[in-house]
Structure formats: C-alpha cells, structure tokens
Amino acid sequence: MTHPAAAPQSLIPVNPAPGNFLWWQEGIIYQIYPRSFQDGNQDGVGDLPGIVSRLDYLQWLGVDAVWLSPIFASPMADFGYDISDYTAVHPLFGTMEDFDRLLAEVHRRGMKLLLDLVPNHTSDQHPWFLESRSSRDNPKRDWYLWRDPAPDGGPPNNWLSVFGGSGWEWDEQTGQYYYHAFLREQPDLNWRNPEVQRAMLDVMRFWLDKGVDGFRVDVIYHVIKDANWRNNPPNPDYRQGMATYDQQIPAYSTDQPEVHQIVAMMRAVMDEYDERVMIGEIYLPIHKLVTYYGADNRGAHLPFNFQLIVLPWNARQIALAIDQYEGALPSGGWPNWVLGNHDQPRIASRVGHAQARVAAVLLLTLRGTPTLYYGDEIGMRDVPIPPELVRDPQGLNMPDLDLSRDPERTPMQWDASPYGGFTNTVPWLPLADDYRRVNVEAAQRDETSVLTLYRRLIALRRAEPAFRIGSYVPVPAEGNILAYLREFEGNRFLVILNLTHRTCHFAMHHLAPEGKIVLDTIPEREGRAVRGRVSLNGDEGMVIKLP
Ligand code: GLC
C-alpha cells in the first residue's frame, strides 16, 4: 500500500485562538549571557546559582523563556562556544546539581529554559579532537575535516576563518590541515560522518531527557561544507575596514543544500519530545533564511530573523523587510524578531536611547516571537573596553577593526552598589560607568524608564491576542514613519513609530475616524483620543486601539 504524501506540517492551529498556539509562538524569549548576568559565588563571573537568584526579576518582567549562552565544559577560548564536554557544566558556572535546580526553578515559575547547542565545532581540547589529531588512522580521524595540503604545500583551499586569517590549520604531527570556521581552537566537525551525527543527536537527547525546553543552535548554516571543497569567490562589496572574512562570499563553506538534511535530523529528535523548540542561528538574506523552516516545515521551528539587527534604522527599509519576510514565510511557518544578541552592538548604542524605546515597541508589537537580549530592557549601552582589558578573540585577532564583542557582554546593572549588584569583586569585564544611574532597581522605581516601557509592552502583548497571534497588515506611511495594524477577531490596534528625532505626522482617517492611545513612549499621552492627522513627537512610538 502506498502512503499519501505527508501534508506540510502547519504550525498554525486549526482553530487559531489564544492558548491553541504553542508556548514558543505566544511567548517571549530572553537571552542570558551567563558570564554576565549574576555572580553567585563572587569570583567575578556570572553563574547558574546567580541566575536562579534573579529568576523573580524575569518573572516580574513577564518573559516566558530563558535562553542561556553555553554553560558547558570549555577552555573558554571563545567563551564557551568551544566545548570540551557537551554534557558537563563548566565549574565556573556551577555543577549539574545547580543546573537541575535552575531548570526546576524556571519551570516552577511557569517559564521555559533553552540551551545553546554548538554542533558545528568542538574545542580542540575535546576528547574527540584529541583522538582525531593523534594519528591518521585513529577511528575518530574522520570526525573532523582533515585535508592534504595544496600542491604548493599551502592550505587545501582559500576558505577564511570568521575570526580572521585562513580557516585551515596545519598539523605538524600528522601532516594535514584541519578546517576551523572560527578559532583554530574550534575545529569543525565532519557532519557527513554518521557517527558524528549520532553523537550530537545524543547530546540533544541528554538535555531534552532532563527536561530542557529547546535549543538555540549555533551557526546551524555552517555545519555542512561543499563536498568538493571548492574555493569561495571574492566578495565584490568588500571594503577596507571590513573583517577579513568578508573578502569572500562563503558560497561553498556555508549554507550548502545538504544542510537541510541535518536540520531535519535535529528536528526529528526534537519531535521525539513534547513541545520543544529549535531555534537556528542564521545570518542569511531572507529568501535563504526561510529555507531553514525546512521542507514541509520540518526544519527549525524558528530560524532566527536578524533583520532588525542588520538593517539600517530606516522606516522604509524596515517596512520593506517586514513585508518581504512576511511574504517569504512558508505557509504554516512562524515568524520571529530579534533586536540584539551577544555578538552585535547593543540597540541603545546603535540607534540611541530615545530610538531604543521606539525599537522596543517595534519588537514587541510585530507578528512573531520576540527575543530580548539581557540588559537591553534597561537601556544598557556598549561599554568601551580599554585595549588591555579586551577578552573577545574576535577583537584580539583583528585589533584594528573594532570587532570586539566585549562591549555588549558587560555585567548586568542591577543596582547602584559597587559593581552594580553583579558581584562583590572585580568582574571579568568592567561595568558601564553609568551603572549607578542606569540599573534595574532605579528603573523599577521610574515610571518613565525604558524598563517600565518594556514591562508594559510585555503586559500588553500578554493581554491582547492581537499582538501574539493576530494578523499583521502594513499601513502606508511617509518619510521615516513605520505604521502597521495588528488585529485579532475584530480587535484592531494601529502601531505608529517615528524613527526620527523630529515631529512627524500620520494621517489615520482612512483607517478609522478616531482611536485611543493605549501605550506610548511618552507615557503622559496614554489614554488620549486621536483622530485625523496624528502628530508624533520626535522618537515617539504609539499603540492606538481602533474602534
Ligand atoms: C556564533 C556565536 C558566537 C560564536 C560563534 C562561534 O555566532 O553566537 O558568539 O563566537 O558562533 O561559535
């Protein structure tokens, strides 16, 4: 008997009502960079007990899920993205008991916990790699990407490392090169080898069995490389001042067609469990990004959408990107939006404090799961790090290019006490010098703080299905105004955002004779009626309930 072709797996429920969607569709994700959230044992580095002690804050804020950047055993060459044991907690962060307690405490509060899965590469200190490099006939030799030198003795091809220089490292002892997309201390695994596939899928099961609610999968688009090792072409848009990696288009070292088989394999493991989520880290243009939902939506649940990070802060360009994204989503695929992460300059530094408030309104009123980066909710800025204190290998490897990611990884600013309530001792990265003024405690007391705005936006999103599961309809606007409607079962909201510092106007009469402001970056405007030609102050964003 032949089976009928499987129907595309839709993520939209048959009866699209609040509560019928999955938690990660209606919820809000909060990213913690564990080294910098809260130090529990006063060694200057954040840890798991520290995070437990701050869970009440996250619950107060109203987020639904917490994603932790890597907490696993690691020599810390790339601050945990170089893993030497995938199923052990790094002692800096605590013990497995601490982890179990964190998971239980997160769940007790009705929240979810996501971990970072780093499948593309291990640490060069991982036992797999130590074996692999020990001899050419070691059974694990083929677990990594070993190649003979080119005829001239140089690297096998021209592939570059994201962190600068060649992607190939010569191994004297065995007379071959190995490939590393990132540091030489981060050798890439050979995902064409079924033993590697099995080993990493078992890592996923280890954490899923413990009850972890999902993964953010690190550089998922890197995992498979061209089978023929072809040279990458030069990038015609490369300019002086860009990272050396940008000299090429990584056409053969990333985003290969076969990657989707691997993504589907990972997804199949997720599907062995209930309601877990798989998020993929992917920096690609929209038309390529959406392919990571997979054939029949059996790929990543949420391929991270970084449009709001990579685009200039311009209403027309953002409006166009939203439309392109909405249009490119596969039927049944769920959107998502991100404003910041541990690899990118913070939103308050990119667009300024006033526009960061507008950005908050945008992030939390768009259609799709929002991801917040710790500290952005209190308006933390990139912290200038003196050269002698730079820790990030990307910064250290390319000192002239200002690529260090340390500025966006500084300790969370909790209160005005020495070291901002993060620790009692000198922290691993310096705190912002404004932490006595910009901190959670002060912001909680201030009705006009960006934290208050975030909390109210989150509350609005939680209260109104229109924002969580409603439709998105773009509304034409002029100049640097971004406008759209969100609607669910006749409940209509108009969002108008002024992306400039100047007063601007928006004509709303074609939408409704009048409306009422339910949320505004200028709180005293809330509750007011608006009609006709709405005047927005510079840096103002408003949410208007339409009749
Ligand atoms: C991802 C991580 C980044 C890390 C890199 C290598 O882009 O977000 O922090 O350095 O992968 O693992």
Side-chain angles (χ1 to χ4, degrees):
M1 196 180 106
T2 55
H3 293 278
Q9 201 180 38
S10 176
L11 295 173
I12 309 302
V14 182
N15 171 18
N20 285 356
F21 285 74
L22 296 164
W23 65 265
W24 51 265
Q25 296 178 297
E26 294 199 46
I28 296 168
I29 301 170
Y30 184 96
Q31 180 190 356
I32 288 181
Y33 193 66
R35 294 181 71 90
S36 295
F37 199 59
Q38 178 64 53
D39 182 8
N41 64 351
Q42 311 307 334
D43 62 356
V45 180
D47 48 42
L48 302 182
I51 296 171
V52 172
S53 72
R54 295 299 188 179
L55 289 178
D56 288 344
Y57 164 73
L58 296 178
Q59 197 172 27
W60 170 86
L61 184 60
V63 297
D64 300 273
V66 178
W67 149 39
L68 305 181
S69 283
I71 54 162
F72 316 106
S74 161
M76 295 283 168
D78 188 21
F79 294 104
Y81 283 96
D82 51 319
I83 296 171
S84 52
D85 185 345
Y86 284 90
T87 55
V89 174
H90 194 298
L92 254 182
F93 298 124
T95 61
M96 194 57 91
E97 288 67 47
D98 293 327
F99 176 80
D100 292 339
R101 189 163 147 255
L102 170 63
L103 183 59
E105 289 292 324
V106 167
H107 284 166
R108 197 168 66 75
R109 287 169 177 78
M111 296 192 288
K112 308 283 185 184
L113 187 66
L114 311 179
L115 292 182
D116 217 306
L117 181 76
V118 187
N120 179 67
H121 45 268
T122 68
S123 161
D124 64 345
Q125 300 307 307
H126 196 294
W128 299 340
F129 188 70
L130 295 178
E131 278 193 51
S132 184
R133 83 181 311 174
S134 66
S135 75
R136 285 206 190 193
D137 53 15
N138 183 279
K140 290 214 166 51
R141 184 67 171 180
D142 186 48
W143 280 42
Y144 292 84
L145 303 173
W146 292 100
R147 306 288 297 159
D148 288 333
D152 68 355
N157 67 20
N158 71 355
W159 296 355
L160 297 173
S161 156
V162 176
F163 289 154
S166 168
W168 294 96
E169 180 72 9
W170 175 246
D171 181 60
E172 192 61 57
Q173 190 191 320
T174 57
Q176 281 191 312
Y177 283 90
Y178 67 85
Y179 177 66
H180 56 91
F182 296 89
L183 296 175
R184 68 165 70 88
E185 293 89 349
Q186 292 168 295
D188 281 41
L189 284 160
N190 176 13
W191 269 90
R192 294 180 190 272
N193 182 330
E195 291 176 25
V196 169
Q197 297 168 4
R198 269 197 297 277
M200 198 60 71
L201 300 182
D202 280 347
V203 168
M204 296 174 71
R205 291 191 186 96
F206 173 88
W207 293 106
L208 294 170
D209 284 341
K210 271 190 171 288
V212 160
D213 300 288
F215 300 104
R216 170 269 193 188
V217 187
D218 191 62
V219 292
I220 199 166
Y221 64 121
H222 272 262
V223 296
I224 286 262
K225 286 76 173 165
D226 178 40
N228 298 315
W229 309 95
R230 280 169 283 185
N231 281 327
N232 280 328
N235 175 9
D237 298 326
Y238 174 76
R239 301 279 172 276
Q240 203 85 38
M242 289 163 78
T244 51
Y245 183 71
D246 295 326
Q247 289 171 358
Q248 297 173 350
I249 295 173
Y252 295 110
S253 51
T254 67
D255 190 36
Q256 298 304 293
E258 302 95 313
V259 71
H260 297 293
Q261 292 166 25
I262 306 298
V263 178
M265 243 179 238
M266 292 178 173
R267 169 61 184 274
V269 172
M270 307 300 294
D271 288 345
E272 293 167 13
Y273 300 79
D274 261 9
E275 290 204 23
R276 312 296 166 102
V277 68
M278 183 166 119
I279 306 172
E281 187 208 18
I282 302 151
Y283 284 92
L284 287 173
I286 289 171
H287 69 281
K288 292 195 173 179
L289 172 71
V290 294
T291 63
Y292 285 75
Y293 284 95
D296 298 341
N297 287 321
R298 287 188 160 86
H301 295 104
L302 300 175
F304 256 153
N305 164 18
F306 294 139
Q307 294 303 310
L308 299 180
I309 292 182
V310 298
L311 285 177
W313 197 245
N314 169 286
R316 294 284 62 76
Q317 272 174 277
I318 294 175
L320 183 65
I322 300 171
D323 290 348
Q324 285 175 341
Y325 180 62
E326 285 277 351
L329 284 171
S331 127
W334 191 254
N336 76 91
W337 296 94
V338 189
L339 267 188
N341 62 38
H342 63 293
D343 296 324
Q344 304 292 339
R346 283 190 182 271
I347 184 71
S349 290
R350 283 192 280 129
V351 302
H353 279 300
Q355 280 296 316
R357 297 171 67 92
V358 177
V361 181
L362 176 63
L363 175 70
L364 288 156
T365 58
L366 279 173
R367 190 176 86 88
T369 307
T371 299
L372 274 62
Y373 183 50
Y374 89 95
D376 281 352
E377 78 276 21
I378 56 168
M380 276 175 65
R381 293 179 66 100
D382 291 344
V383 178
I385 308 290
E388 66 279 10
L389 295 183
V390 172
R391 306 285 302 267
D392 178 27
Q394 179 166 271
L396 292 170
N397 285 1
M398 294 171 275
D400 305 334
L401 295 182
D402 196 21
L403 292 175
S404 168
R405 299 166 296 179
D406 293 335
E408 61 263 22
R409 297 176 175 181
T410 60
M412 181 67 172
Q413 298 159 205
W414 294 104
D415 58 42
S417 66
Y419 304 121
F422 167 71
T423 184
N424 294 338
T425 184
V426 180
W428 78 286
L429 282 177
L431 274 125
D433 55 14
D434 64 359
Y435 79 85
R436 287 197 172 75
R437 195 169 45 80
V438 180
N439 61 61
V440 169
E441 204 177 77
Q444 282 180 321
R445 285 194 309 258
D446 177 358
E447 274 299 298
T448 65
S449 69
V450 64
L451 179 60
T452 302
L453 176 66
Y454 262 97
R455 186 157 181 259
R456 299 192 50 239
L457 280 162
I458 292 171
L460 179 66
R461 195 175 173 100
R462 290 184 89 110
E464 289 295 346
F467 295 107
R468 300 197 307 282
I469 58 173
S471 62
Y472 169 90
V473 181
V475 173
E478 280 172 20
N480 224 341
I481 293 237
L482 183 59
Y484 47 89
L485 288 169
R486 299 298 315 275
E487 173 172 2
F488 183 75
E489 289 184 342
N491 255 330
R492 279 202 308 164
F493 293 86
L494 169 66
V495 180
I496 320 176
L497 307 172
N498 180 356
L499 269 62
T500 74
H501 303 311
R502 304 179 315 274
T503 301
C504 287
H505 301 278
F506 175 85
M508 65 170 271
H509 44 259
H510 57 290
L511 296 168
E514 73 166 32
K516 187 177 141 200
I517 302 178
V518 290
L519 189 142
D520 200 301
T521 53
I522 305 174
E524 55 271 24
R525 293 222 179 178
E526 285 168 13
R528 288 197 198 170
V530 281
R531 60 183 67 80
R533 191 161 172 264
V534 184
S535 164
L536 287 100
N537 280 4
D539 308 308
E540 183 171 11
M542 52 174 78
V543 180
I544 298 167
K545 175 87 173 69
L546 298 182

